[in-house]
Amino acid sequence: MARKKIREFDGKRMIAAALKRGIGMDLLLKIAQVSDESGSINKQNLVKLYPWFDEVKLVVKPDMLFGKRGKNNLVLLNASLDQALDFILNKMHSEVEVGGVTGKLTHFVVEPFLPHDEEYYLCVQTQREGDLISFSCTGGMEIEENWDRVKSVLVPPGDEFRSEEIHSLLLSADV
């Protein structure tokens, strides 16, 4: 079965919707995807669409289906709206090479900046045998160096991801 990646923006919205539907947890997700497909990118339009852009510090990164964004200086942290807008406009349509593949940046994900000491890794892959859910307490820029700490559980087609499996996965990942 072929694998198809999805953008971080879409993945986070899907997880938030599933948590709300499944266990009633509302993440109050603040996330935006910025591209120039719908016209010009400017401060007035962005604040009209996302009023919180002008109220908090921001994180900006390409939403381009590749990893190692931090290691390639493609992540802007703790930015004002003006800094975020400059970053997007300077990087939009620029050509980058990551892992031997070259392409132009066209989409960016923007979120509130939240200072933190730890990052986690979560991956959901649909396979012929079911959905493979992988998790690690060592996410972030160094995830590739810590693949041995990623733990996974397979949920067969038609089955639900039960709380015992969640508990087991978290315990095995040293949470």
Side-chain angles (χ1 to χ4, degrees):
M1 173 179 269
R3 286 181 22 185
K4 181 163 176 82
K5 292 184 176 191
I6 62 171
R7 296 183 189 277
E8 180 177 341
F9 173 76
D10 297 317
K12 286 183 175 180
R13 290 184 338 156
M14 289 170 59
I15 289 170
L19 286 171
K20 187 169 188 171
R21 187 177 54 252
I23 61 172
M25 176 188 252
D26 193 349
L27 292 182
L28 303 174
L29 191 63
K30 285 187 178 181
I31 188 168
Q33 188 179 65
V34 177
S35 71
D36 67 351
E37 293 174 353
S38 58
S40 66
I41 299 171
N42 63 57
K43 187 174 182 177
Q44 182 179 353
N45 288 346
L46 291 175
V47 171
K48 185 177 179 182
L49 287 170
Y50 313 104
W52 53 270
F53 272 26
D54 211 16
E55 299 167 0
V56 298
K57 293 292 190 173
L58 303 169
V59 174
V60 183
K61 51 192 165 183
D63 199 5
M64 297 296 300
L65 311 177
F66 62 81
K68 299 185 181 176
R69 294 172 292 188
K71 289 186 176 184
N72 286 284
N73 296 316
L74 295 173
V75 178
L76 180 66
L77 301 172
N78 201 19
S80 67
L81 174 57
D82 288 330
Q83 292 169 320
L85 185 58
D86 286 345
F87 182 83
I88 291 169
L89 292 174
N90 286 328
K91 300 286 186 190
M92 184 67 71
H93 299 296
S94 65
E95 213 167 78
V96 297
E97 181 181 339
V98 177
V101 177
T102 302
K104 288 187 177 183
L105 301 178
T106 59
H107 292 75
F108 293 81
V109 63
V110 182
E111 300 174 280
F113 174 74
L114 300 171
H116 56 279
D117 295 323
E118 298 175 313
E119 290 191 56
Y120 299 93
Y121 173 79
L122 176 67
C123 177
V124 181
Q125 295 177 346
T126 297
Q127 303 178 342
R128 184 175 309 280
E129 303 81 20
D131 293 327
L132 184 67
I133 301 172
S134 302
F135 177 79
S136 176
C137 293
T138 54
M141 285 179 40
E142 307 303 326
I143 187 63
E144 290 87 3
E145 289 80 14
N146 290 291
W147 282 126
D148 59 324
R149 299 192 63 194
V150 175
K151 304 301 179 190
S152 301
V153 64
L154 183 68
V155 181
D159 281 5
E160 291 186 19
F161 191 44
R162 294 178 294 280
S163 60
E164 302 84 46
E165 292 171 313
I166 295 171
H167 185 72
S168 174
L169 181 61
L170 294 176
L171 284 177
S172 70
D174 299 324
V175 173

